[in-house]
Amino acid sequence: MDTHWDVHAVAVVSSLGEMIGTGSFPATAVGYRELLTWARGLGTVRRAGLEGTGSYGAGLCRYLLAQQVEVFEVNRPDRSERRRRGKPDAADAQNAVRAVLSGRARARAKAGDGPVQIARMFKLAKDSAVKARSQAINQLKAVLVTADPVLREELAGLNTPALIRTCARLADNDEDGGGGDAVLQATRITLRLLARRVEQLTGQIQDLERHLARLVERHAPQLLAPVGIGPDTAVTLLITMGDNPERLGGEASFAALCGVSPVEHSSGSRHYRRLNRGGDRQANAALHRIVQTRLRFDPRTRDYYERRTKEGKTRREIVRCLKRYVAREVFNLVRPSPS
């Protein structure tokens, strides 16, 4: 299925690869029902391949999973193939279903209908607020650079929190006349507005952090027990795993998804493994923060670091190994083995 903002293109292929039919349906709740009814009218629907299960196809993906259809994430076609054959929606839909049929598309889609999806929404709002707050703080300090020397000296020496509090309380004389006093007044108004914006965003960030912490404590409290894993890091790793962690084949799949699995880079008589530069980089950064925290506060991790250093390993190689171990630990905490 080739998904778009307002319409989805669909192709149905038999298990032997025979094209049965193609169609297009609106990206609405009614359109989803019509799509599945039409497809089931052509035969039994067992699997579906979707482009954009996390964007345009998210709603359709959730609907199909609720109807007991196995959904696989399909990457967009190769650019060279698109240049050679063009890009009609029907062709993209056929490529998606054939990718599932051939086994090239094996990544099962995230369910997106549970607490992890809720955490993803809160995390999205929090990251946006953090970015906007940093921008507002930088703008406030940039205004101070060109401010009147008297005002600049008045605010000199204050750290960032004290500067924000002081600027938020600056008086407004409502002078609109010309001259230097009017420029000074405009500067004070601008500083006050930016400071209050920072305070408002800080309140939003703290509120969202409380929501995220409650979600983790309610649905995955075991993640908070190990050293170095806090609510924010736990949320990032849970988002990577999704609401249906059983879609991952094992802890090696999760490690590859986080970009901490070693990649074979041997050539000839030289055998070497390099760092994995792929995967979810936010999850990779979360694992990196866990390792750095443990290197500072966890005695077992420090002992391991010293032992591998004596073996001739570099810090970069040791951190890569530790990130791989942490990925295994997190996976087994979220999805315990049947034994």
Side-chain angles (χ1 to χ4, degrees):
M1 301 179 189
D2 185 27
T3 59
H4 299 278
W5 171 265
D6 52 357
V7 67
H8 298 330
V10 187
V12 179
V13 177
S14 70
S15 59
L16 298 178
E18 179 187 1
M19 177 58 59
I20 298 177
T22 60
S24 59
F25 299 86
T28 61
V30 175
Y32 299 158
R33 290 194 296 269
E34 292 177 350
L35 184 154
L36 188 56
T37 301
W38 170 80
R40 283 176 170 169
L42 300 176
T44 303
V45 179
R46 293 189 176 92
R47 294 179 294 173
L50 262 71
E51 288 187 21
T53 57
S55 54
Y56 291 142
L60 178 58
C61 177
R62 288 193 293 266
Y63 176 77
L64 293 176
L65 288 173
Q67 298 299 317
Q68 308 304 315
V69 177
E70 195 173 10
V71 181
F72 292 85
E73 170 71 34
V74 178
N75 296 327
R76 67 181 184 178
D78 184 70
R79 292 181 182 272
S80 61
E81 183 178 353
R82 283 189 172 184
R83 285 193 296 268
R84 186 172 61 254
R85 298 185 179 181
K87 188 197 172 298
D89 291 341
D92 283 349
Q94 293 179 34
N95 290 334
V97 70
R98 293 189 188 281
V100 175
L101 188 62
S102 65
R104 286 185 290 111
R106 293 180 295 177
R108 296 170 59 188
K110 294 181 181 180
D113 58 355
V116 174
Q117 182 66 12
I118 299 173
R120 181 176 177 271
M121 295 294 102
F122 288 153
K123 185 74 162 50
L124 178 68
K126 180 196 168 186
D127 291 345
S128 175
V130 169
K131 184 177 180 180
R133 183 178 64 176
S134 299
Q135 184 182 35
I137 292 174
N138 292 337
Q139 289 173 338
L140 185 146
K141 293 182 177 180
V143 170
L144 273 179
V145 172
T146 59
D148 184 89
V150 176
L151 178 60
R152 193 166 64 246
E153 292 170 7
E154 178 184 345
L155 301 174
L158 299 177
N159 57 24
T160 300
L163 177 64
I164 299 301
R165 290 193 300 269
T166 303
C167 290
R169 295 194 300 267
L170 288 175
D172 182 6
N173 297 328
D174 291 330
E175 294 181 2
D176 296 328
D181 291 339
V183 173
L184 175 60
Q185 183 60 21
T187 304
R188 296 171 69 91
I189 293 173
T190 302
L191 291 173
R192 186 178 71 248
L193 293 175
L194 288 172
R196 291 181 179 178
R197 183 185 302 172
V198 171
E199 291 180 339
Q200 182 183 15
L201 290 169
T202 300
Q204 292 180 12
I205 293 168
Q206 293 172 349
D207 186 42
L208 290 166
E209 286 177 343
R210 286 191 292 268
H211 282 296
L212 290 170
R214 285 197 294 266
L215 270 173
V216 176
E217 291 169 358
R218 184 181 303 119
H219 298 286
Q222 69 276 14
L223 273 182
L224 302 177
V227 178
I229 304 181
D232 191 72
T233 303
V235 163
T236 302
L237 296 173
L238 286 172
I239 290 172
T240 301
M241 298 188 76
D243 281 302
N244 49 338
E246 64 276 3
R247 70 192 181 91
L248 299 173
E251 51 92 12
S253 299
F254 179 64
L257 187 61
C258 295
V260 295
S261 58
V263 177
E264 191 70 28
H265 198 61
S266 302
S267 178
S269 60
R270 182 174 181 268
H271 299 280
Y272 177 70
R273 288 186 178 134
R274 66 166 174 81
L275 294 173
N276 189 341
R277 300 183 182 90
D280 187 336
R281 304 317 297 173
Q282 291 190 3
N284 190 288
L287 295 175
H288 188 81
R289 290 194 297 270
I290 295 172
V291 168
Q292 295 302 320
T293 302
R294 291 184 176 184
L295 285 173
R296 293 182 60 190
F297 301 106
D298 185 28
R300 290 193 311 163
T301 305
R302 289 201 300 268
D303 292 342
Y304 174 85
Y305 180 84
E306 293 173 0
R307 176 167 58 85
R308 297 307 297 270
T309 301
K310 293 177 182 178
E311 294 175 1
K313 297 292 184 181
T314 64
R315 180 180 178 88
R316 193 175 187 182
E317 293 172 332
I318 297 172
V319 169
R320 179 187 64 77
C321 294
L322 288 170
K323 287 161 73 172
R324 180 66 177 82
Y325 293 150
V326 174
R328 178 185 298 124
E329 180 183 8
V330 169
F331 180 83
N332 290 326
L333 285 172
V334 177
R335 183 187 167 187
S337 60
S339 60

